Amino acid sequence: MTDKENAIQCIKDEAEAVLGLISKIDDNFEQAVNLMLHCSGKVIVTGVGKSGHIGAKIAATLASTGTPSFFINPLDVFHGDLGVMSKGDVVLAISNSGQTDELLRFIPMVLHMQIPIIAMSGNPQSLLAKYSTCHLNVSVEKEACPLNLAPTSSTTATLVMGDALAIALMNKRHFQPQDFAQFHPGGELGKRLLTTAQDVMITENLPILSQEMNLGEAIILVSKGKLGLGVAIEQGHIAGIITDGDIRRAMERWKAEFFNRTVKDIMTSTPKTVSPQTKISEIQKIMNKNKIHNVLVADGDNRLLGVVDRYACIL
């Protein structure tokens, strides 16, 4: 087989292994979700070798989607790390064979502490499955490895089952984008959902106009402001807004009479405004819906505080 053919076969094998999980979802899955949902402590994920690597990823996914969780190597438990466990916790133990010696030696300690065990293995008859509170079957017909030895399809199936748990828990918790952002404050999504108008608004050298200002003078102030707009203020309150587009259309309409016209003649008297606390994600929606490039930031008395432009929303 060519390299390309090997790659395609590998992907097919692993895809079939994942689809094979569907028929294995039963009451044990629901029991596992409920144990983790009602866990008053944390979910402790454990496994050895490749199962350990997959377990670490599952723990990270759970933790970032609202389920307190972390990974621990069962070997470390024998050297003092048992102290991190307490009643109220739930253990998610992963082993493809369900017979991993290091993991089985860890199980009696968990049982002694009366901590429920969710087992995830490819062997429903294994000792791990036998001593678990519930068992998630992640067995596969074959590995993608041509020797049927290297963990490939089995680790992919285990990873997907972990994702299925996380997604089920997210739905149970009614987990929202804002919640996700709190767990990912450094990521792009977190920035968009946590950053507010007051964090990015432009406050200096704003192009402030009066309603009676002639358009010839207004053009100069709009150009200096470099925002493509001018804000009409009346007695300290926002009265309207004019944009480059408004000015261009007015020139085409009135030609030589343009310079005799005032800001009031072309301004939009109901510009889009937001509060300083409005999230950038919401401002993006407003801009997209109304096909505008800027919004005004105002206080409760409709006094201008700043301007947020489209570029500020690109985090």
Side-chain angles (χ1 to χ4, degrees):
M1 295 177 67
T2 65
D3 292 340
K4 181 178 178 181
E5 290 171 335
N6 280 320
I8 292 172
Q9 187 59 52
C10 175
I11 293 171
K12 285 182 176 179
D13 289 342
E14 297 205 16
E16 288 175 5
V18 170
L19 290 174
L21 293 176
I22 295 175
S23 62
K24 300 180 178 71
I25 299 294
D26 56 18
D27 293 343
N28 281 276
F29 184 85
E30 292 190 6
Q31 187 178 4
V33 171
N34 285 324
L35 280 171
M36 298 167 84
L37 179 66
H38 299 295
C39 168
S40 60
K42 52 209 171 292
V43 175
I44 300 174
V45 186
T46 187
V48 179
K50 301 295 190 298
S51 293
H53 294 308
I54 296 300
K57 190 276 178 186
I58 291 174
T61 299
L62 289 170
S64 69
T65 53
T67 300
S69 176
F70 66 88
F71 174 81
I72 186 171
N73 190 312
L75 297 174
D76 294 332
V77 173
F78 304 122
H79 300 283
D81 284 359
L82 187 63
V84 302
M85 298 174 58
S86 60
K87 284 189 177 181
D89 291 344
V90 171
V91 166
L92 173 58
I94 303 171
S95 167
N96 186 45
S97 69
Q99 300 288 126
T100 305
D101 182 62
E102 296 90 344
L103 195 59
L104 292 178
R105 286 192 284 132
F106 167 63
I107 296 304
M109 305 178 192
V110 180
L111 294 175
H112 178 70
M113 298 179 70
Q114 298 181 329
I115 295 174
I117 299 171
I118 301 169
M120 193 183 293
S121 84
N123 183 2
Q125 308 305 319
S126 64
L127 287 174
L128 177 61
K130 178 181 178 181
Y131 288 106
S132 63
T133 308
C134 55
H135 176 258
L136 302 178
N137 186 356
V138 290
S139 61
V140 299
E141 289 189 9
K142 64 175 182 176
E143 299 286 4
C145 166
L147 302 177
N148 198 31
L149 294 174
T152 45
S153 297
S154 59
T155 49
T156 299
T158 303
L159 182 63
V160 170
M161 185 64 81
D163 286 341
L165 286 171
I167 298 305
L169 285 162
M170 286 178 71
N171 285 323
K172 287 273 193 178
R173 297 182 192 281
H174 304 292
F175 202 76
Q176 299 298 312
Q178 292 80 2
D179 301 313
F180 190 87
Q182 291 179 349
F183 289 97
H184 299 76
E188 179 182 347
L189 177 63
K191 289 179 182 178
R192 284 196 289 112
L193 291 173
L194 296 178
T195 303
T196 62
Q198 65 183 355
D199 296 323
V200 298
M201 66 184 184
I202 299 166
T203 58
E204 297 181 357
N205 302 317
L206 296 177
I208 304 300
L209 318 173
S210 71
Q211 295 185 77
E212 306 306 322
M213 181 182 292
N214 66 63
L215 292 178
E217 186 180 354
I219 287 177
I220 296 174
L221 292 177
V222 169
S223 298
K224 285 183 178 179
K226 298 180 180 180
L227 292 174
L229 59 80
V231 185
I233 301 295
E234 184 70 24
Q235 296 182 347
H237 303 283
I238 298 171
I241 186 174
I242 64 172
T243 66
D244 285 340
D246 295 327
I247 293 172
R248 184 172 58 255
R249 286 185 290 272
M251 284 181 169
E252 293 173 353
R253 177 183 177 185
W254 288 313
K255 297 182 172 56
E257 295 183 12
F258 170 81
F259 291 96
N260 296 323
R261 299 286 179 168
T262 66
V263 169
K264 189 174 183 178
D265 292 329
I266 68 169
M267 74 180 189
T268 298
S269 58
T270 55
K272 298 300 178 184
T273 62
V274 298
S275 73
Q277 290 74 39
T278 304
K279 300 290 192 296
I280 289 300
S281 57
E282 185 61 31
I283 292 175
Q284 287 178 318
K285 293 178 183 177
I286 293 172
M287 289 182 177
N288 292 335
K289 180 180 179 180
N290 296 280
K291 298 180 180 179
I292 56 178
H293 299 284
N294 311 83
V295 295
L296 307 182
V297 183
D299 63 15
D301 294 323
N302 201 34
R303 296 178 185 275
L304 182 66
L305 300 177
V307 175
V308 175
D309 65 18
R310 181 173 293 276
Y311 299 106
C313 295
I314 303 174
L315 299 173

